[in-house]
Amino acid sequence: MGTKDYSGGLRFAIMLNSLSIQKWQYETIKFLLEASNSKVVLLIINEQKSNNQKKNLFSRIISYPYKNILFKVYYRYLFRPHSFAKYDLNNLIKDVPSIRCLTNKKRISEYFTSSDIDLIKSYEPDFILKFGFGIIKGEILNSAPLGVWSFHHDDEQKYRGVPPAFWEIYNNEIKSAAILQRLTDKLDSGVILRKGLFKTINHSWKGNLDQSITLSRFWPAEVCREIIEQNTFPDSTEGVKTNAPLYKIPGNTTFLIFLLKVFVNKIKFHIDEIFKAESWQIGITKARTADLIGGLQYQIEDEEVDWYVAKNSNFYFADAFAIKVSERLLILYEDYTYETRKGRLSAVWFSERENIFSDPVVILEENWHLSYPFIFKHNDNIYCIPEAKDHKNVELYKLDLNTMKLVHVRTLIKDLEAVDPSLIFHQNAWYLFFTAGYASNVELHIWHSETLEGEFIPHVLNPIKSNVGNSRPAGSLFYIDGILYRPAQDCSRSYGSRVILNEVKILSEDSFLEITANVLEPPKGFTGLHNLSFAGDYMIFDCKRMKFSSSNFFYQIKRKLGFKSE
């Protein structure tokens, strides 16, 4: 990165085809300005685009690509992603100088003139954000110290070309992806600055593309914050290596097959929503943390499990956390009903001697949905941090064993939609892991504080991970021989399909690294496993089956007929 001090913020230029830009581009720039203390110093507008002379009618008829006509008509007249809505950039930034550049086209690439490059350099941008022009090559890529940044809304290891977020549906991919890259002179070989993996929305191309775009629009601001806080940036000119095939606009037959697939997937999606509801149940079995980490694949055996199950399919029990009190295990869990579509927190005692559960007791109920009662001991007290995303605060409670009620202690973080908050004390600091409410299965964040009573502040690398298969917390973090492990949900196949056990290699106030150590599948006959907790000689977990729920059935019917809001 050289010796430049970026602590005061970064200067950047924007490549555009016009000042009328798409919603996601507008929001990306807005996040950059607000969240990273960066400044727009130049707008680089594509003169070739703005002065494009249309062909005469006859030439257009003769040269029209009729083999792609179905896709082109659909894309122009029917395809309306929310992210593509038009916004006027003048409403966001004013009094920013602009230049119009006419590039020289050689085959499929565009080259800037030396005079335009010198002019761009004179404004001293630290980087250039590319929202316009085509495939650019040449010296323009070196006209800013941190290069030219560009989005690619696909997995570069599987898909090059166009259209974005399309071929994953056509090829029945479980995951879709997006990357933010620093462009290099070699096509499709940029230096990756950020990458995210998301569950493919296979019943809607619009939904899949909107997801990929929406969840990646924060990335330039996050990279800028990392540069400002840590003064680090990948200097390498060597980009990613990929052997992915180059995809082009689909032909008419291919596009008809695609539409048929989406139609079938949409029918299946609506049928599943109406007739299938998640039914979670709690299991307890003898196992220690070390059993899950090792060379052999650990498997939960049904016959060795004591199950705690709701009495009918309109209820379920999930997110079980346990702690040992005297000779019994205290289990806190989400007590959910489809009738109100809201959860409360309940508790039950498990006797190790008799292997029986006590009668349950409600320990906390609020006007908002509660789940994931993360419990831990500190100074001989039992504390709980439940998920209260709809409440938009992260709250700390203390358990009163005499009344069996959770008593509010303090608000840890205000105005934050934290999903599955999980706390660990590590190397003299408290670290709170959670996924963001707007990307609950994808974006992992960390906040930290020196004390439980102190102020929690966000990690400089947030989001520290964007991966639908290995981000969302899945229970208590634990140590084995001084090594920290973090369970995470794999939501790539379905929500909470299995648990990934990650070894945390680095965790500090400015660094984070973890690698996958093992995978825990649900027992036979179940389709999901998404929470682990350990107490004494036992592992407490939850498992999912899909069942018919009459309450869910009537709710979904009313919602789809327009009688209920989302």
Side-chain angles (χ1 to χ4, degrees):
M1 281 186 63
T3 59
K4 182 170 181 179
D5 180 13
Y6 292 103
S7 59
L10 281 80
R11 299 162 54 89
F12 69 100
I14 310 172
M15 287 185 174
L16 303 162
N17 289 331
S18 76
L19 294 179
S20 177
I21 61 177
Q22 293 177 348
K23 177 184 178 183
W24 73 274
Q25 297 168 335
Y26 185 96
E27 292 176 342
T28 298
I29 298 168
K30 185 178 180 182
F31 292 139
L32 263 169
L33 297 174
E34 295 177 349
S36 68
N37 196 30
S38 296
K39 177 183 179 183
V40 184
V41 296
L42 179 65
L43 303 179
I44 306 167
I45 302 174
N46 192 342
E47 179 74 8
Q48 199 164 357
K49 289 285 184 182
S50 59
N51 290 332
N52 184 36
Q53 299 294 323
K54 290 187 177 180
K55 299 178 181 178
N56 62 54
L57 180 60
F58 180 76
S59 298
R60 288 161 61 194
I61 292 174
I62 292 298
S63 62
Y64 192 85
Y66 291 100
K67 66 178 182 178
N68 309 114
I69 190 171
L70 292 181
F71 175 85
K72 286 183 170 293
V73 168
Y74 179 89
Y75 190 84
R76 180 170 183 178
Y77 298 106
L78 299 176
F79 191 56
R80 295 289 183 269
H82 299 302
S83 303
F84 283 12
K86 290 296 185 179
Y87 278 58
D88 187 348
L89 186 56
N90 286 317
N91 294 330
L92 181 62
I93 55 175
K94 301 182 186 300
D95 303 322
V96 173
S98 64
I99 61 172
R100 294 186 175 272
C101 298
L102 185 64
T103 57
N104 298 315
K105 193 162 186 178
K106 298 179 183 179
R107 297 182 63 187
I108 62 171
S109 302
E110 297 181 33
Y111 293 81
F112 282 71
T113 64
S114 57
S115 59
D116 283 341
I117 291 174
D118 289 340
L119 184 56
I120 291 169
K121 287 182 177 179
S122 71
Y123 287 90
E124 299 182 343
D126 295 311
F127 70 94
I128 299 172
L129 187 61
K130 181 179 179 295
F131 285 146
F133 295 85
I135 299 171
I136 59 172
K137 286 191 176 182
E139 185 58 28
I140 186 63
L141 299 177
N142 302 315
S143 58
L146 303 180
V148 179
W149 300 0
S150 177
F151 285 93
H152 176 63
H153 295 108
D154 278 310
D155 188 339
E156 86 291 345
Q157 293 300 321
K158 293 187 176 182
Y159 300 99
R160 297 184 298 145
V162 293
F166 175 94
W167 295 104
E168 291 89 342
I169 299 174
Y170 184 84
N171 292 327
N172 304 315
E173 296 277 4
I174 294 174
K175 298 178 185 178
S176 295
I179 62 172
L180 175 67
Q181 59 185 331
R182 175 183 179 175
L183 296 178
T184 65
D185 218 24
K186 187 175 180 182
L187 184 62
D188 298 319
S189 297
V191 177
I192 294 181
L193 307 178
R194 284 289 189 276
K195 181 173 182 175
L197 298 172
F198 327 111
K199 187 179 187 303
T200 299
I201 301 175
N202 66 3
H203 61 276
S204 171
W205 178 27
K206 180 181 79 171
N208 202 42
L209 181 57
D210 269 335
Q211 170 186 246
S212 180
I213 288 174
T214 300
L215 295 179
S216 60
R217 62 205 162 119
F218 303 95
W219 292 349
E222 290 160 4
V223 174
C224 286
R225 288 205 312 268
E226 183 177 336
I227 293 170
I228 293 168
E229 295 286 344
Q230 297 186 308
N231 201 38
T232 58
F233 186 78
D235 289 325
S236 172
T237 56
E238 287 294 323
V240 66
K241 291 179 171 56
T242 176
N243 295 316
L246 181 62
Y247 285 83
K248 299 181 179 180
I249 292 174
N252 294 332
T253 302
T254 300
F255 191 62
L256 283 174
I257 294 172
F258 173 81
L259 291 179
L260 179 61
K261 284 191 173 189
V262 169
F263 178 72
V264 171
N265 291 341
K266 190 178 290 289
I267 291 176
K268 185 177 184 299
F269 170 78
H270 288 297
I271 289 175
D272 286 348
E273 273 203 326
I274 293 170
F275 291 100
K276 294 182 180 180
E278 292 183 352
S279 179
W280 292 91
Q281 61 190 63
I282 296 169
I284 180 168
T285 187
K286 283 204 170 183
R288 290 180 174 270
T289 53
D291 296 333
L292 277 62
I293 306 297
L296 298 177
Q297 187 71 36
Y298 178 83
Q299 180 65 48
I300 300 172
E301 300 295 342
D302 192 1
E303 61 272 14
E304 298 176 359
V305 177
D306 290 295
W307 294 104
Y308 185 65
V309 186
K311 292 182 179 179
N312 68 66
S313 59
N314 290 326
F315 299 82
Y316 67 65
F317 302 150
D319 293 345
F321 287 88
I323 199 162
K324 191 166 184 178
V325 181
S326 298
E327 296 302 316
R328 295 189 297 173
L329 300 185
L330 176 61
I331 302 173
L332 276 59
Y333 60 94
E334 175 193 353
D335 185 350
Y336 183 87
T337 171
Y338 280 106
E339 293 177 356
T340 61
R341 304 192 76 80
K342 186 169 75 76
R344 60 187 183 182
L345 302 184
S346 293
V348 66
W349 292 92
F350 177 77
S351 172
E352 298 182 54
R353 186 171 299 176
E354 291 86 10
N355 280 13
I356 58 173
F357 296 95
S358 70
D359 292 332
V361 57
V362 177
I363 59 173
L364 184 63
E365 187 165 16
E366 300 283 10
N367 294 326
W368 52 86
H369 172 71
L370 293 167
S371 62
Y372 202 81
F374 183 91
I375 55 174
F376 63 100
K377 277 187 176 180
H378 179 60
N379 292 338
D380 296 324
N381 293 311
I382 299 174
Y383 291 96
C384 177
I385 305 175
E387 182 198 306
K389 178 176 71 71
D390 298 338
H391 179 49
K392 298 182 180 179
N393 286 338
V394 180
E395 307 285 5
L396 177 68
Y397 295 83
K398 183 165 66 175
L399 180 63
D400 186 333
L401 289 174
N402 295 318
T403 63
M404 287 303 293
K405 296 293 181 183
L406 287 175
V407 180
H408 186 261
V409 176
R410 64 177 290 243
T411 300
L412 293 181
I413 307 173
K414 292 182 178 180
D415 300 321
L416 182 70
E417 294 186 15
V419 176
D420 295 347
S422 305
L423 191 69
I424 188 72
F425 187 74
H426 179 75
Q427 295 179 353
N428 299 316
W430 291 94
Y431 292 90
L432 184 72
F433 291 77
F434 61 89
T435 47
Y438 60 82
S440 59
N441 294 333
V442 179
E443 284 195 0
L444 181 64
H445 292 243
I446 298 175
W447 286 49
H448 56 86
S449 175
E450 291 184 359
T451 66
L452 195 58
E453 298 77 23
E455 179 187 3
F456 279 78
I457 60 175
H459 200 282
V460 296
L461 300 182
N462 282 337
I464 58 173
K465 180 180 285 189
S466 294
N467 186 343
V468 71
N470 194 2
S471 288
R472 184 167 176 166
S476 302
L477 290 84
F478 57 87
Y479 288 94
I480 300 177
D481 297 330
I483 299 173
L484 180 62
Y485 292 89
R486 187 188 73 88
Q489 296 184 42
D490 181 355
C491 297
S492 60
R493 295 180 293 186
S494 64
Y495 165 62
S497 63
R498 60 181 184 171
V499 171
I500 309 297
L501 298 164
N502 297 292
E503 179 184 338
V504 179
K505 291 288 191 180
I506 302 173
L507 175 58
S508 67
E509 294 180 0
D510 56 12
S511 301
F512 178 77
L513 176 66
E514 67 179 14
I515 61 171
T516 298
N518 212 340
V519 177
L520 184 59
E521 300 282 353
K524 292 179 181 179
F526 292 89
T527 59
L529 168 73
H530 79 347
N531 201 75
L532 302 178
S533 178
F534 295 88
D537 295 327
Y538 290 89
M539 178 174 73
I540 298 85
F541 57 94
D542 57 7
C543 286
K544 175 179 67 173
R545 286 190 175 106
M546 302 304 293
K547 292 184 178 180
F548 176 79
S549 163
S550 58
S551 295
N552 181 69
F553 173 83
F554 289 115
Y555 171 86
Q556 295 292 352
I557 290 293
K558 289 178 181 179
R559 184 176 68 86
K560 292 179 186 298
L561 292 176
F563 297 117
K564 282 188 176 289
S565 60
E566 290 289 342

